[in-house]
Amino acid sequence: MKYFKPQVELLTGQIIKNMKTLGTGYATAITLARKLLEKLLGERVLVRSQLPIQLEDALPKPAIAVVMPDVLRYADSHPIASEIYLLIEIADNTLVEDCEIQGKKYARSKIEEYWVLDINGRQLYVFREPSDDGYHSQLILSEDSTVAILALSNCSFAVRQMLRP
C-alpha cells in the first residue's frame, strides 16, 4: 500500500504548500554542505537536514540546521532559536523566497545566522544581526570567498566547498 505524504509546512499559523523542488542540484548541495559541516565541526554540533525547528508560530524544515549537540536533546521537542547556531536554505529556483520571506521569518524568530546557498549563481547570501524588521547585516559571497559560522568562528571554509565543481 502506498501512502501520500503532502509537502506542507506550518508557517505563521498557516499550512503552506512547500514549493521547493528537490532536484539533483539541490540534493547535491545539501549533501555537500551537510558532510562538510559534520567533518569540520564534528561533535561540537548536530547537523540536521530537512527536519523541523520550533519557531514561535511555525515549524519550518530548513535544508540544514546546525544546532547544539546531542540527538537526545531533541527527543521531546524540536530545536528552538536559542539552540540554533545556523540555518541554511539551498536555492535553485527559490532565491527570492528564501532571502526575503524565509529571511524575515527567521530574523523575527531571532535566528542569529542564516545562509542561503544560491546553487545557480554560485553565491552564498549571509544574514546576521536579526531584528523584527529583518537582518541588519547582509553579505553576498562569491564561491571564492571564505566564510565562518559566527558562533563557531574558528571554523572557516570556502563557499565553493558546498557547491558541485
Side-chain angles (χ1 to χ4, degrees):
M1 175 182 277
K2 291 185 179 182
Y3 293 94
F4 173 71
K5 183 178 178 185
Q7 297 296 312
V8 296
E9 290 187 43
L10 178 63
L11 301 176
T12 59
Q14 298 178 354
I15 295 176
I16 306 293
K17 184 176 179 182
N18 186 342
M19 300 305 290
K20 278 197 188 261
T21 57
L22 304 181
T24 57
Y26 179 95
T28 300
I30 197 171
T31 303
L32 287 170
R34 188 190 77 242
K35 289 177 68 84
L36 174 67
L37 292 168
E38 288 173 341
K39 178 182 175 185
L40 293 175
L41 298 169
E43 299 295 317
R44 294 188 294 162
V45 302
L46 178 63
V47 180
R48 296 166 44 107
S49 297
Q50 298 178 315
L51 293 173
I53 59 170
Q54 179 66 60
L55 302 182
E56 209 169 281
D57 58 356
L59 281 171
K61 293 184 249 178
I64 295 174
V66 179
V67 301
M68 290 181 174
D70 189 4
V71 172
L72 295 179
R73 178 186 191 109
Y74 310 108
D76 296 318
S77 63
H78 299 298
I80 59 174
S82 63
E83 297 171 314
I84 298 170
Y85 297 122
L86 169 69
L87 294 182
I88 304 174
E89 292 291 359
I90 309 295
D92 51 4
N93 61 355
T94 57
L95 183 61
V96 172
E97 175 189 325
D98 289 336
C99 288
E100 294 178 10
I101 298 169
Q102 295 287 89
K104 286 181 182 172
K105 176 180 57 179
Y106 292 150
R108 280 193 306 270
S109 297
K110 305 299 183 234
I111 300 297
E112 292 296 323
E113 187 162 13
Y114 171 53
W115 296 355
V116 177
L117 182 62
D118 175 7
I119 60 176
N120 296 320
R122 300 185 66 82
Q123 296 177 320
L124 181 67
Y125 293 71
V126 176
F127 299 91
R128 295 175 173 155
E129 299 175 25
S131 75
D132 290 338
D133 300 325
Y135 285 96
H136 290 294
S137 172
Q138 301 176 19
L139 303 166
I140 301 174
L141 303 176
S142 72
E143 66 182 303
D144 296 323
S145 299
T146 299
V147 66
I149 301 170
L150 217 86
L152 306 159
S153 58
N154 60 342
C155 170
S156 62
F157 54 90
V159 171
R160 81 164 55 83
Q161 290 180 268
M162 295 187 289
L163 297 164
R164 66 181 177 191

